[in-house]
Every structure is written in structure tokens, then in C-alpha cells.
Amino acid sequence: MNKSLYLLILCLLPGLAAAQDESGKMSLRQCLDYSFENNARLQKDRLAIESAAQSKKEVVGGLLPQIGASGSSTYNIQKTTFAMPNFVNKMMPEQMQDPNAPKYMTVTMGMDLSANWGFSLTQQLLNFSLFNAVSIAKSAEELSEMGLMADEEDLTAQTATLYYNAQVIEYSLSLFDESLAVMDRMAKIMEANRSNGLVRDVDAKRIEVTRMNMETERESLVQALDVQKNLLKLQMGFPMSGKIEIEPLDQEKVESMIFMESMRRFEVEEQTPYRMLKQQQSMLALQKKAAKSELMPVLLLNANYSQNYMGDHFYGETYHRFPVSMISLNVKVPVFSGFSKNAKIRKAGLELQKSYEDERMLSESLTMGYSNARMQMDRNRSSIISQKRNQKLAQEVLEVTESNYKEGLSSLTDMLNATSSLVQAQMNYVNALNSCVKAWIDLKKAEGTINELKNN
């Protein structure tokens, strides 16, 4: 009996995470709603989607006109002086030229004050790399959204598993309490018979020892339930200091749920991991196209307009103002890049081919996962039926043995053995029920319908 209990505890403690709601007993749907709002991984996914959206806007912004404005004001404390050949002396009539004039003369240029302001505009007219980058950014945004969907499916499966595990542990505790109640009835009968000298002290002590062992096992289950609820809190993003209470296990509802036959046809193309891989292939194809576009010419339109001011003062005869404007078309044509761009194109093509191999492997893996989940579900359904029948038989045996024991037709050993068999049968049923719920969740995830848990 101890061995089966420990196996049960190990079975019910998956290394997953979960969390809780603060008010009253929570249903599975309430736990899922809370998880979707507070789970840290989903929060990061939503931030990743927003980041991808901003990246797309950043790339799209490169296609729009780039307009800049500038202005400056300068006071020339010491003006620029240039040294140049003394052409002035040579330009004078020969009789007026000074033979002793210096070969070079200095000229100070500029005015005391200068200022300017202007605008510039740059527009991409033809840039295939930039055009393709917009498509890549859009594809990355869609991939981020699919990543959120995949994590939501994982979160739904993990939270549901933890929730049902906690329910099953609470259910097993209720079964232990029923067995302890039987031991208490036996102890009362033993005490009455011992006072009459009909029962030995050693038999009464055997009852006490058996009950104490069952109490110890029950305490282990209580601790397992606390651990399970903490895992649920962690998964949901609920504070560990909070208290979680979940709805009791509706055995008939759960059995009806797991025995409901799924008529959905498995389509690998509808699975989120497969759709994510196809989206990644689209991005790889765009990246290959982007590598090719680097061999294409780039055409830019540039326009500038400015106003310039200069003078010893910004008024009077030395003050001058004149505009400057310009429009230009710039063409950049790659001619030779040392074969680096060709290598980049080939590398992008190889990455795309690798993704096709990944697609084939993923398709087989998803199909195998669904097939295994279906077979596991069928096996666990059969186990549930047999263990439920075995538990019913053990209960009937205990009731008959207890009745016979009261009438003196059964021994204490028979009674203890019947009680132990019932507890064993109950634990086997609980194990089978828990395994079947896990298999049902795995099947829902494998066929791509796990989100129905949240919607229903």
C-alpha cells in the first residue's frame, strides 16, 4: 500500500507551473482566464508582438520621405585669410608695376556675421532591398503572433493538467477519509468487545497501528496537494502568498469527458507548430529574395532648399541674402562585390532547403504524436473501466467482510486485508483516472483542439 501511494504522488507531481484566483473555489476556466492574463511567458509574447509591430513601422518609415531641417548662425571673430600669387601687381600697366612687390599677397575673406537655414528631402524611388524588408518585417510580426498562439496552447495544457491533478489528489484524500471511517468503526467495535474480554489487546493495537499508517499516508497526500497547488499558482502567475481553492472533482463529468469520442480528423497543416514552420519558410524565402535584391540598382531623389545670410550687420549695404536650391537623382549600381553577395544568396537557399527537411520531419513527428496520444487514450480508457470495476468489487468485499466481522464470522485479519485491498483498489483507480485525464489532454493538444478547454 505504501508503494502504490508513493507511485501515485510521483505520478501527480509533474514539473509544470500554474496559479490561482483569490476568491472562492475556482473552475478550470477561471484558472485559465487568470493564467492568460498573468502568465509571464504570455506577457513576454505580447511584448514581442508589439516589438515586431514597431520594427515593421520602422522599416516602412524608410519608404516614406525623409525630411530634415537645419539652421546656423556664426560670428567670425577672426576671418579666414588666404595667401595667393600677387596677380594684382602683374595686372597693372608695366610702368606702374612695382619690381619690389612681394611674390604673394594675403587676402582676408568673409564678413562678421553669417546665418542660414534650410530643408532637405530624401525619397527612396527604387530600392528592392528596402521593399523586401517590409515584407520580412510583416512576416516576423505574424510569426510572433503564432508564437503567442503556441504558448497559449502549451499554457492551457499545462494548467489543465495541474488543475486536474490537484482535483484527483483531493478526491483520493476523500477516499482515504472513507477508509479511515471504516477503521474508526472497527476500533469502536474492538473497544466494546475488549471491555467484554472478547478481543485481545494485541488485536486492538493492530487496528491502531494500521490506522496510524493510513494517517501517515494521508498526510503525505496533503503535502502533495500543497505542492501541486503551488505549482498551479506559479503557472498562473498568482502570488505564492495567496490561497487557492479549486472545485471538487466531478467524477462522472470527468469520466464522461474522457470517454467522449473525438470525431475530429487530424490535419497536420492545421497544427500551430507546422504553421509556424511554414511561416519561417516564408521568411527564409524573403531573405533569399532580399539577398538577390542587393544586386539591383538603388535610385534616390534628393532635394535641398536653403537661405543664406551674411554681412557685417544684418542690415545696411553690407547685408546680403540669397537662396540655394537643388534637386538630384542618385543611382547606385553594384558592379562587383568579390562574390560575397552570390555566396549570401546560396547560403539563403541552403537555409530554405534545410527548412523543407525540417517540415518533413515535423510532419512525421506531429502525426506520430497524434497516433501515440490516440493509442494511449484508448489504453487508459480500458484501464479506467477495469479499475473502476475492481474498486467496486473491493468495496463489496469490505462491506461483506465488515458485516461478517460484526457477527463474528470473519477474523480481524480478514477485515484488515479487505480494508487494505479497498485502499489499493482505490489508489489504482485514482492512478488510472489521473493517467487517463493526462492522456485526454495530450490528445486534445495533439489534434489541435486544446483551446476548447478555455472556450468551454
Side-chain angles (χ1 to χ4, degrees):
M1 184 160 54
N2 287 336
K3 181 179 179 181
S4 65
L5 176 61
Y6 295 146
L7 291 175
L8 171 67
I9 295 175
L10 291 175
C11 173
L12 295 178
L13 295 178
L16 304 171
Q20 121 163 36
D21 202 328
E22 295 179 80
S23 57
K25 294 186 176 181
M26 298 181 65
S27 66
L28 174 58
R29 179 168 182 173
Q30 289 173 322
C31 287
L32 290 173
D33 289 340
Y34 193 97
S35 297
F36 273 55
E37 290 295 327
N38 298 277
N39 182 267
R41 185 172 57 181
L42 295 191
Q43 297 288 2
K44 289 180 62 178
D45 287 340
R46 295 184 182 104
L47 292 174
I49 292 175
E50 180 62 24
S51 177
Q54 297 304 319
S55 296
K56 184 180 71 172
K57 290 181 180 179
E58 181 182 359
V59 176
V60 171
L63 294 175
L64 301 177
Q66 308 297 305
I67 301 175
S70 62
S72 67
S73 178
T74 305
Y75 172 63
N76 297 308
I77 298 175
Q78 290 181 321
K79 302 180 182 68
T80 304
T81 300
F82 295 92
M84 61 184 66
N86 193 349
F87 60 87
V88 175
N89 187 57
K90 293 182 180 180
M91 292 176 61
M92 296 179 67
E94 185 174 352
Q95 63 273 17
M96 297 180 63
Q97 291 182 2
D98 184 3
N100 298 320
K103 184 177 181 181
Y104 293 93
M105 68 178 184
T106 59
V107 178
T108 300
M109 303 184 67
M111 295 183 174
D112 291 344
L113 300 173
S114 64
N116 68 79
W117 61 266
F119 293 93
S120 64
L121 179 144
T122 301
Q123 175 64 56
Q124 300 276 351
L125 297 180
L126 187 64
N127 190 331
F128 293 101
S129 294
L130 189 56
F131 298 157
N132 202 63
V134 175
S135 300
I136 293 176
K138 183 179 180 181
S139 182
E141 184 180 15
E142 294 174 355
L143 185 61
S144 297
E145 293 174 353
M146 290 183 182
L148 174 62
M149 292 175 56
D151 285 343
E152 285 179 347
E153 292 179 359
D154 290 340
L155 178 63
T156 300
Q158 293 167 4
T159 302
T161 299
L162 291 166
Y163 186 88
Y164 285 123
N165 284 347
Q167 279 191 328
V168 170
I169 294 178
E170 287 187 341
Y171 176 68
S172 64
L173 284 172
S174 67
L175 296 180
F176 257 88
D177 291 339
E178 293 177 3
S179 298
L180 287 172
V182 173
M183 299 300 297
D184 290 338
R185 291 198 302 270
M186 290 176 57
K188 290 180 179 179
I189 296 173
M190 294 281 298
E191 186 63 29
N193 291 335
R194 185 170 64 174
S195 62
N196 296 328
L198 300 177
V199 174
R200 300 174 300 173
D201 289 342
V202 66
D203 291 332
K205 292 179 180 178
R206 287 175 63 189
I207 291 292
E208 292 179 8
V209 170
T210 302
R211 193 186 190 288
M212 181 59 67
N213 290 337
M214 293 181 66
E215 281 283 3
T216 301
E217 294 174 358
R218 185 185 184 282
E219 184 62 28
S220 298
L221 279 179
V222 172
Q223 294 176 5
L225 179 60
D226 291 338
V227 172
Q228 192 73 6
K229 286 184 176 181
N230 283 338
L231 291 172
L232 189 59
K233 292 178 186 179
L234 180 63
Q235 184 73 14
M236 292 170 60
F238 190 81
M240 284 296 164
S241 58
K243 183 179 180 181
I244 182 172
E245 295 294 338
I246 62 176
E247 293 180 346
L249 178 69
D250 188 336
Q251 182 183 348
E252 294 183 359
K253 182 178 179 181
V254 171
E255 289 186 0
S256 174
M257 174 184 72
I258 60 182
F259 278 96
M260 183 179 298
E261 186 64 30
S262 175
M263 303 302 295
R264 181 181 176 88
R265 180 181 177 183
F266 177 74
E267 298 288 348
V268 69
E269 293 82 4
E270 297 179 4
Q271 305 304 306
T272 301
Y274 185 85
R275 291 170 56 206
M276 289 182 65
L277 180 59
K278 296 299 290 183
Q279 188 66 29
Q280 290 172 351
Q281 286 180 354
S282 298
M283 288 188 63
L284 290 172
L286 288 172
Q287 289 172 359
K288 181 179 179 181
K289 185 178 179 181
K292 291 181 177 179
S293 66
E294 293 182 8
L295 299 174
M296 305 296 290
V298 176
L299 180 61
L300 291 175
L301 170 67
N302 289 309
N304 290 278
Y305 176 83
S306 63
Q307 285 281 355
N308 297 276
Y309 307 88
M310 60 184 62
D312 294 334
H313 305 281
F314 286 137
Y315 58 87
E317 61 180 9
T318 64
Y319 170 66
H320 298 276
R321 177 178 69 87
F322 55 90
V324 176
S325 59
M326 176 270 294
I327 296 178
S328 66
L329 285 175
N330 299 317
V331 179
K332 179 181 178 181
V333 181
V335 177
F336 181 71
S337 60
F339 305 109
S340 61
K341 287 184 173 58
N342 291 332
K344 187 175 182 180
I345 294 172
R346 287 195 294 269
K347 181 180 178 182
L350 292 173
E351 292 296 327
L352 188 58
Q353 291 180 15
K354 286 168 58 180
S355 72
Y356 291 142
E357 294 300 319
D358 291 337
E359 178 186 354
R360 184 177 62 84
M361 294 173 59
L362 180 62
S363 178
E364 294 295 329
S365 177
L366 292 174
T367 303
M368 181 195 68
Y370 173 77
S371 178
N372 290 344
R374 170 63 66 181
M375 290 188 296
Q376 188 68 24
M377 188 66 190
D378 292 339
R379 285 195 295 267
N380 280 284
R381 283 171 175 169
S382 300
S383 179
I384 278 285
I385 294 173
S386 60
Q387 293 302 330
K388 188 175 183 180
R389 181 171 60 249
N390 187 52
Q391 177 182 314
K392 182 178 180 181
L393 291 174
Q395 181 67 42
E396 292 175 354
V397 169
L398 176 62
E399 291 173 355
V400 172
T401 304
E402 183 179 6
S403 177
N404 290 339
Y405 179 76
K406 292 177 181 179
E407 296 175 4
L409 300 177
S410 297
S411 65
L412 176 61
T413 299
D414 293 335
M415 188 65 186
L416 292 178
N417 288 338
T419 303
S420 177
S421 296
L422 176 60
V423 173
Q424 181 70 56
Q426 289 173 339
M427 293 302 100
N428 289 341
Y429 170 75
V430 167
N431 279 327
L433 181 63
N434 184 68
S435 297
C436 200
V437 169
K438 287 181 179 179
W440 180 78
I441 293 174
D442 291 341
L443 179 60
K444 297 288 286 183
K445 191 171 186 301
E447 66 183 11
T449 60
I450 190 65
N451 284 334
E452 292 178 358
L453 291 180
K454 184 176 184 298
N455 298 331
N456 299 325

